[in-house]
Amino acid sequence: MSKVNSIEKVMPHQDNIYEPAFVKKMFNRMSSSYERMNYITSFGFSIRWRRQFLEKLGKSNQRLNVIDLLSGLGENWTFLKRNFPNATFYALDFSDKMISRSSNKSKKLFAGDLNLLCENILQNKLESNHFDIISCAYGLKTFNEQQLEVLAGEIHRILKPDGKFSFVEVSKPSKKLLCAFYGFYLEKVIPLLGKIFLGNPHDYKMLWIYTEKYGNSDLVKRIFERNNLTVTKEKYFFGCATGISGRK
């Protein structure tokens, strides 16, 4: 197979980058480095943004049902466990490699008492009206508008009445100078770092492609509101990340 053909298999036509099969394979390949690269791509702000967006969910000692969607390597779990110490926890991701790698963290943090589910959130078997709390970090950009409609419908379905949710996503800042700098960093520097440290820049080149198409959380807010959810939009570090939070 030629080098060009191998790259095309990793970098498809941009109309196909939202195909679940492509997204799943991409995150499977990135699973060994994803947590480190999240930190690098955000200048170290990813941890702060996680803490800030999870603060929107509040804290409680009650026996709640909490689910972390698109859970990746379990980066949200320490915060969720601290904020909801008596909750029953679930985590869902459709990347089997992410699930496998996060299972060790699950055993250490939850003593194995975590419902770790390998499912596609758009086609899931979660119980309706079951969850008090839903969290999700850095997964919205991998959905197109039609998929976001399905996602919003699923959030409404699985949340209990008055249940709360919070999402955060890397975004395009509105200030032109900051956007140009951040775009150059994500589009050019991050793939280079991916090549140096991982030997494969192509998956991390996708970060800016997704981010540029995503823009910010304005569209997501409108879609969630159309699905009978009360929504507030948040902006972090001058719009380098945005998010939504709210209730059913």
Side-chain angles (χ1 to χ4, degrees):
M1 182 182 293
S2 70
K3 184 177 180 180
V4 172
N5 287 336
S6 66
I7 291 175
E8 286 176 349
K9 285 185 176 293
V10 177
M11 299 288 289
H13 190 279
Q14 290 195 22
D15 290 342
N16 299 325
I17 66 174
Y18 300 104
E19 286 292 328
F22 171 75
V23 177
K24 181 176 182 177
K25 289 179 180 178
M26 180 180 68
F27 279 105
N28 276 343
R29 290 191 300 266
M30 296 167 66
S31 61
S32 64
S33 59
Y34 188 66
E35 191 167 5
R36 294 193 305 273
M37 291 301 287
N38 258 343
Y39 186 82
I40 294 170
T41 56
S42 67
F43 300 104
F45 279 95
S46 62
I47 296 175
R48 180 179 181 183
W49 295 341
R50 284 182 194 281
R51 184 174 63 251
Q52 289 176 325
F53 102 93
L54 291 170
E55 284 175 354
K56 306 297 179 183
L57 298 169
K59 299 180 181 181
S60 175
N61 290 317
Q62 296 181 27
R63 296 187 178 279
L64 307 176
N65 291 322
V66 176
I67 187 165
D68 187 36
L69 299 179
L70 314 180
S71 56
L73 298 175
E75 298 96 325
N76 293 335
W77 298 349
T78 300
F79 300 103
L80 290 171
K81 178 67 172 175
R82 184 176 62 212
N83 292 343
F84 304 101
N86 297 315
T88 299
F89 291 95
Y90 299 73
L92 180 147
D93 200 298
F94 77 154
S95 165
D96 49 290
K97 292 289 181 65
M98 289 285 193
I99 290 289
S100 178
R101 289 182 180 278
S102 65
S103 62
N104 286 334
K105 182 179 289 187
S106 166
K107 292 174 184 176
K108 291 178 182 178
L109 188 59
F110 298 98
D113 193 19
L114 169 71
N115 300 287
L116 193 54
L117 308 171
C118 189
E119 294 184 24
N120 185 343
I121 183 56
L122 303 182
Q123 297 175 321
N124 68 80
K125 299 175 183 177
L126 297 171
E127 186 177 345
S128 298
N129 300 304
H130 185 68
F131 294 100
D132 302 276
I133 299 291
I134 294 176
S135 64
C136 182
Y138 309 124
L140 288 172
K141 62 181 175 293
T142 60
F143 296 119
N144 61 26
E145 184 170 352
Q146 292 73 30
Q147 291 167 330
L148 287 170
E149 288 280 1
V150 176
L151 174 66
E154 286 302 294
I155 298 303
H156 186 274
R157 181 183 69 81
I158 67 176
L159 265 181
K160 292 180 180 179
D162 207 37
K164 296 189 286 187
F165 61 87
S166 188
F167 291 71
V168 69
E169 185 54 84
V170 176
S171 303
K172 283 178 64 176
S174 57
K175 294 180 183 291
K176 290 184 178 180
L177 184 60
L178 181 58
C179 185
F181 172 76
Y182 197 42
F184 176 82
Y185 181 71
L186 293 182
E187 183 180 16
K188 304 296 184 183
V189 178
I190 292 305
L192 179 61
L193 293 176
K195 182 177 182 179
I196 292 172
F197 295 113
L198 307 172
N200 178 7
H202 306 299
D203 289 329
Y204 288 100
K205 189 182 289 288
M206 293 301 302
L207 179 61
W208 178 244
I209 294 174
Y210 281 119
T211 301
E212 189 170 35
K213 286 178 171 290
Y214 181 77
N216 58 46
S217 297
D218 287 344
L219 175 62
V220 179
K221 180 177 185 292
R222 293 195 297 271
I223 289 173
F224 273 54
E225 287 174 336
R226 286 203 297 264
N227 283 269
N228 301 311
L229 295 163
T230 302
V231 186
T232 300
K233 179 189 167 188
E234 281 89 24
K235 185 166 67 172
Y236 305 97
F237 196 70
F238 307 104
C240 287
T242 58
I244 58 168
S245 63
R247 294 177 179 268
K248 175 177 175 179

